[in-house]
């Protein structure tokens, strides 16, 4: 006989059961002897069995963390000073290169970086006319900035 | 389950505590032997842990776990290493009724036993899980990998045969005679 679906089942017969049939079945097929099981022992054995797998999973999550921590740590040693240098250079460039800031205020008197490089460059920010620098001034600023970065990198590398 | 995936022993312990007893009941129905049933439960929990990554989050753990248990149990039942089924003392030994009634009861039970043995293995499993363990046809379907309709059909056929046996129909000359044929 072929397999059948719901329509082969007379309605209402699916979930009903006579108490008599159930009782008789229970008598000839008694349930599991639950009281004779050492539940604590079974529980302990199941957990003991599982320990290597659980430990692998715990280790796996740590290894997963190490997976990205290790390369990061490898790059951190040279990366952090480099990032600091870049940040410093950017700060200096911003400080001295902002239009209008070159001649006035602290930017104008920022002699330390200027002495280190910016000032040495002809037509650098210090040489630019006060206020908005022209095209030449911008070019010079860019050139000066590059010089400054190179010098900064050289100094850091030496250190 | 999420915590178990991360290797949390306590979370795994909670799952074991919650499902150990019903799992044992099912394992007992499959193998009918205490030691084998315990081994099966132990094995099923381990397999479940190994496969926990394939468990679909948000779904109930029970049916997924029982299916593992069921499949492992069937394998164990088919294998030769399974210990002999244990002889369970007949729960019918209740004193009270007179000898005639007792004899009639015994006859009915013998007929029922015979009818059970004539069912297909699948029908027997369905009847046991539904009538004796209280699982719905849907739950049984999930466990056994069958559609709800197929489970209900097996249940219907099995009941027909068993009721016939209880009523003393014999089961050879009526509709119950082909109840033992395998389906699905």
């Amino acid at each position: 006989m072929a397999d059948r679906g719901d329509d082969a089942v007379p309605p209402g017969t699916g979930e009903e059961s006579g108490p008599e049939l159930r009782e008789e079945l229970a008598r000839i097929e008694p349930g599991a002897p639950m009281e004779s099981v050492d539940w604590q022992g079974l529980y302990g054995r199941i957990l003991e069995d599982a320990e290597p797998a659980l430990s692998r999973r715990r280790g796996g999550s740590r290894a997963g963390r190490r997976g990205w921590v290790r390369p990061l740590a490898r790059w951190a040693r040279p990366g952090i000073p480099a990032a600091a240098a870049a940040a410093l250079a950017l700060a200096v460039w911003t400080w001295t290169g902002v239009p209008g800031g070159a001649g006035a205020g602290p930017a104008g008197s920022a002699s330390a970086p200027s002495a280190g490089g910016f000032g040495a460059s002809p037509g650098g920010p210090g040489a630019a006319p006060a206020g908005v620098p022209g095209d030449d001034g911008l070019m010079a600023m860019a050139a000066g900035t590059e010089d400054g970065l190179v010098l900064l990198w050289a100094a850091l590398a030496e250190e | 389950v999420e915590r178990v995936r991360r290797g949390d022993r306590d979370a795994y312990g909670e799952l074991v505590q919650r499902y150990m007893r019903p799992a044992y009941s099912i394992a007992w129905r499959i193998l009918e032997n205490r030691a084998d049933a315990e081994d099966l439960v132990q094995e099923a929990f381990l397999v479940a842990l190994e496969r926990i990554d394939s468990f679909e989050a948000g779904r109930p753990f029970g049916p997924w776990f029982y299916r593992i248990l069921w499949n492992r149990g069937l394998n164990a039942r088919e294998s030769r290493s399974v210990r002999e089924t244990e002889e369970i003392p007949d729960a019918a030994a209740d004193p009270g009724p007179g000898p005639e009634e007792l004899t009639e009861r015994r006859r009915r039970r013998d007929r029922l036993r015979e009818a059970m043995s004539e069912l297909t293995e699948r029908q027997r499993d369905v009847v046991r899980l539904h009538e004796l363990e209280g699982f719905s046809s849907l739950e049984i379907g999930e466990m056994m990998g069958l559609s709800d309709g197929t489970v209900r059909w097996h249940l219907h056929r099995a009941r027909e045969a068993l009721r016939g046996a209880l009523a003393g129909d014999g089961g050879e000359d009526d509709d119950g005679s082909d109840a033992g044929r395998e389906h699905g």
Side-chain angles (χ1 to χ4, degrees):
Chain A
M1 197 180 282
D3 198 1
R4 61 217 57 219
D6 287 8
D7 54 350
V9 183
T13 56
E15 300 290 335
E16 292 169 9
S17 60
E20 189 193 18
L21 176 59
R22 188 169 287 176
E23 265 174 37
E24 291 296 332
L25 276 173
R27 283 181 201 279
I28 64 161
E29 299 220 349
M34 307 294 269
E35 67 288 344
S36 69
V37 178
D38 171 14
W39 295 109
Q40 272 308 311
L42 181 59
Y43 177 83
R45 287 201 301 280
I46 291 169
L47 258 71
E48 195 182 331
D49 264 7
E51 195 44 56
L54 287 170
S55 157
R56 269 200 305 277
R57 286 182 171 275
R58 282 195 296 270
S61 51
R62 273 200 296 274
R65 218 164 52 232
R66 279 201 299 273
W68 61 268
V69 166
R70 276 182 180 167
L72 190 72
R74 218 171 26 244
W75 283 99
R77 190 177 284 260
I80 289 172
L88 184 64
L90 188 69
V92 169
W93 181 81
T94 309
W95 189 255
T96 56
V98 171
S109 60
S111 54
S114 291
F118 293 104
S121 169
V132 180
D135 282 355
D136 287 349
L138 281 171
M139 290 291 286
M141 196 195 302
T145 304
E146 214 174 345
D147 285 347
L149 276 174
V150 169
L151 283 167
L152 197 61
W153 273 109
L156 280 165
E158 231 176 65
E159 197 178 306
Chain B
V1 171
E2 261 322 301
R3 283 164 56 206
V4 172
R5 277 183 179 144
R6 293 195 299 267
D8 188 326
R9 188 186 154 95
D10 292 343
Y12 184 69
E14 280 173 36
L15 274 183
V16 172
Q17 280 288 7
R18 191 179 303 175
Y19 291 99
M20 185 168 59
R21 282 172 174 79
Y24 179 77
S25 256
I26 296 169
W28 165 264
R29 289 289 173 205
I30 303 170
L31 299 171
E32 296 177 304
N33 178 289
R34 189 178 60 82
D36 284 332
E38 283 187 24
D39 288 350
L40 174 57
V41 170
Q42 206 171 325
E43 185 190 343
F45 273 114
L46 188 60
V47 172
L49 176 61
E50 281 163 0
R51 295 186 190 166
I52 199 82
D53 291 325
S54 70
F55 173 71
E56 206 179 313
R59 291 180 66 88
F61 178 79
W64 180 80
F65 172 64
Y66 293 147
R67 181 142 192 200
I68 291 174
L69 178 82
W70 185 262
N71 288 333
R72 307 298 290 198
L74 290 191
N75 290 342
R77 185 157 74 183
E78 280 164 19
S79 78
R80 305 229 177 244
S81 62
V82 173
R83 300 173 182 97
E84 290 294 307
T85 56
E86 284 170 10
E87 200 56 51
I88 302 294
D90 199 338
D94 51 312
E100 275 179 29
E101 198 182 332
L102 215 58
T103 311
E104 174 52 25
R105 275 188 193 179
R106 268 197 208 108
R107 277 195 196 126
R108 279 158 56 91
R109 279 166 203 156
D110 286 345
R111 287 200 302 269
L112 194 61
R113 270 196 201 96
E114 201 183 328
M116 273 295 271
S117 69
E118 282 171 4
L119 296 179
T120 64
E121 203 160 67
R122 182 165 283 174
Q123 285 172 347
R124 261 197 306 278
D125 288 336
V126 168
V127 165
R128 284 169 178 158
L129 289 174
H130 181 77
E131 301 288 358
L132 302 171
E133 297 300 328
F135 286 99
S136 72
S137 54
L138 262 174
E139 290 168 325
I140 296 168
E142 281 193 57
M143 201 185 301
M144 297 174 75
L146 300 172
S147 75
D148 182 41
T150 304
V151 171
R152 288 198 291 136
W153 189 84
H154 283 304
L155 202 51
H156 168 69
R157 301 297 290 170
R159 277 196 195 131
E160 222 170 35
L162 297 177
R163 284 199 184 114
L166 271 185
D169 290 351
E172 292 299 320
D173 54 350
D174 63 10
D175 195 28
S177 59
D178 71 344
R181 283 188 217 146
E182 185 64 82
H183 294 278

